Amino acid sequence: MKKLFSMLIVTFILIGIFSSCNSNDTDTNSKTDNSTDISLNDGSDISNDSSIDINSNINSNLHEKHGNKVYIGYEEKDIYYPEIREYEEVSDCFDIPLGEDGLKKVGAYLKFIETYDELSTYIIPTEFDSSILDLNYVVCVKQFFYDDTHEKRLIGYYDLIFSEGKYNICLDYYKSEDQVPHEQPADPYVYTSFIVVPKNSVEYTEQLQQITVNGKNDIEDEIYADDEGSLLPSPDKSSHGYVTHNASATLPENPTAWVVEKGSELEKSFGLEYYNKHSKIDFRVVLYLPNEPKYDFIITEKEIKNGNLYLTVEQYLQYTNDYLSINDVKFYDLYIQDTSELAENFDVYLLVKTVK
């Protein structure tokens, strides 16, 4: 079995979960596709959790169910500051300040860059219109911290404000499936981003400033330990697991879903193998997508309503899913422990929010 199939997503979206920042999607463009015959190869498609405690008694009425249709809708999520990603580095924008112990001081810092001449002393962007700086600053943001699990992936910054003598910025990030938490020494990480911020939205300073991110001085993670002490995403949070299948199994042409009973003929017909093999989970909601998404994604919302399943997914165009393509992933365990509220032939409504 390939290494990646032993990996779980630990998803931590700061929007409305553990940040103090409140974002909204008022500027999103949306469309809906009710067809179930959807190709997911080109990356334009990708493929609050009604759960009970994992240790609760299994409802005697639970049984296998076959989903009816999967409806996929799309939105563009565009709330983040533009970021300069392609550039040649000339020199370091600034050094992380040292603490009293002589070591780099954990935290987040920013420096305003007002002109293109100043910017070019630090980086030379591959494509950049210098007139952008007539109405905007380029702000260099650095975060320095020690991470004993795995590297975080930044989605984007937004809402930089100066209030009560302090700067605060909002950040969304997640942890990808290809970076699984495991016990290892804490390593230092430095994230450097060059974002474009309107001049009329924030107070300028020439000084290097330590800032808070999402109202905090550090990023806290929410994880739990399973019966064997391994770190896993909390099942009632936004998470899912990849499921291996028998390569010779006959697979459906269109997206679909099932409630699959442990050890059942349905499970055996596809040769499904789960990473999270909790003996107390007898029924799993499994989503099938005939083609893998091109870009990295996470599930941010799960809800059972009127007998149907509603999922919200975010996919990130700056991160590709090469690790999925190598392993031919098509089945996803949605970590829903209570399936009793799903109808016998439930529909799945999948909203895909593409993050620019």
Side-chain angles (χ1 to χ4, degrees):
M1 185 181 295
K2 297 182 180 180
K3 178 179 178 182
L4 183 58
F5 283 114
S6 65
M7 299 179 176
L8 287 173
I9 286 182
V10 183
T11 60
F12 302 96
I13 293 270
L14 297 178
I15 307 175
I17 298 179
F18 48 81
S19 79
S20 63
C21 307
N22 295 319
S23 64
N24 59 67
D25 294 332
T26 56
D27 295 328
T28 59
N29 299 317
S30 63
K31 62 178 180 178
T32 300
D33 186 345
N34 289 330
S35 171
T36 59
D37 185 13
I38 296 174
S39 171
L40 306 170
N41 283 328
D42 63 0
S44 62
D45 312 335
I46 65 161
S47 26
N48 293 332
D49 184 26
S50 296
S51 63
I52 57 175
D53 186 84
I54 198 170
N55 295 316
S56 63
N57 295 327
I58 298 299
N59 189 319
S60 60
N61 293 323
L62 296 179
H63 55 276
E64 284 191 335
K65 300 172 185 178
H66 291 251
N68 183 24
K69 293 183 179 180
V70 176
Y71 297 93
I72 304 180
Y74 307 92
E75 282 186 0
E76 279 189 357
K77 184 177 180 181
D78 191 11
I79 66 170
Y80 304 107
Y81 293 128
E83 183 174 343
I84 303 174
R85 293 184 178 271
E86 301 295 331
Y87 57 83
E88 176 187 346
E89 185 174 8
V90 178
S91 65
D92 200 356
C93 186
F94 59 84
D95 295 324
I96 301 295
L98 303 180
E100 295 181 358
D101 55 4
L103 301 177
K104 291 181 179 179
K105 188 176 178 181
V106 172
Y109 306 85
L110 69 76
K111 176 179 175 61
F112 285 89
I113 300 171
E114 197 170 11
T115 66
Y116 184 79
D117 287 342
E118 182 184 2
L119 177 66
S120 61
T121 63
Y122 307 122
I123 62 171
I124 299 177
T126 303
E127 294 183 8
F128 189 80
D129 183 354
S130 60
S131 65
I132 290 175
L133 286 165
D134 293 342
L135 299 176
N136 301 275
Y137 300 116
V138 171
V139 180
C140 179
V141 181
K142 285 190 181 184
Q143 292 196 62
F144 174 73
F145 57 91
Y146 290 88
D147 189 351
D148 59 359
T149 54
H150 56 270
E151 190 175 356
K152 303 174 179 69
R153 286 188 169 179
L154 273 62
I155 301 170
Y157 288 100
Y158 59 103
D159 288 353
L160 173 62
I161 62 170
F162 181 76
S163 177
E164 298 180 355
K166 296 181 180 179
Y167 285 93
N168 180 74
I169 197 167
C170 292
L171 166 68
D172 292 341
Y173 75 94
Y174 74 105
K175 292 185 175 181
S176 176
E177 175 67 12
D178 69 338
Q179 299 171 349
V180 172
H182 56 278
E183 294 183 3
Q184 64 180 28
D187 292 325
Y189 285 99
V190 177
Y191 282 107
T192 302
S193 302
F194 291 90
I195 58 176
V196 179
V197 179
K199 289 182 177 180
N200 61 5
S201 68
V202 65
E203 183 171 330
Y204 171 83
T205 178
E206 294 182 351
Q207 305 300 318
L208 176 67
Q209 293 287 323
Q210 182 168 7
I211 61 174
T212 57
V213 178
N214 302 318
K216 300 178 181 179
N217 292 321
D218 56 9
I219 298 176
E220 298 176 357
D221 293 334
E222 299 178 11
I223 51 179
Y224 83 104
D226 68 4
D227 294 339
E228 298 178 355
S230 299
L231 297 179
L232 299 172
S234 177
D236 61 350
K237 297 295 182 182
S238 306
S239 56
H240 69 270
Y242 297 143
V243 183
T244 64
H245 70 281
N246 189 333
S248 62
T250 301
L251 303 178
E253 295 182 358
N254 297 321
T256 188
W258 306 269
V259 175
V260 182
E261 184 176 9
K262 179 181 177 181
S264 69
E265 290 302 317
L266 176 60
E267 184 180 78
K268 294 176 182 177
S269 68
F270 293 121
L272 302 183
E273 291 285 342
Y274 313 98
Y275 174 76
N276 181 5
K277 297 181 179 180
H278 269 291
S279 60
K280 297 177 182 178
I281 301 179
D282 290 334
F283 295 89
R284 299 173 187 260
V285 180
V286 175
L287 175 68
Y288 166 77
L289 299 175
N291 301 101
E292 296 160 356
K294 180 179 178 181
Y295 300 102
D296 215 359
F297 71 95
I298 60 174
I299 299 175
T300 60
E301 291 183 71
K302 292 176 280 189
E303 182 181 12
I304 298 174
K305 185 169 59 176
N306 298 325
N308 297 316
L309 178 60
Y310 292 79
L311 303 173
T312 301
V313 168
E314 288 194 358
Q315 66 169 350
Y316 308 108
L317 303 188
Q318 64 267 49
Y319 302 114
T320 60
N321 256 347
D322 294 340
Y323 61 92
L324 286 185
S325 300
I326 293 172
N327 291 279
D328 194 29
V329 175
K330 290 182 170 61
F331 293 88
Y332 305 85
D333 182 358
L334 299 182
Y335 291 170
I336 297 175
Q337 281 75 56
D338 184 5
T339 62
S340 62
E341 295 183 7
L342 285 171
E344 294 299 319
N345 294 300
F346 62 94
D347 291 328
V348 178
Y349 294 87
L350 180 61
L351 175 61
V352 181
K353 294 185 178 182
T354 299
V355 178
K356 289 180 153 184

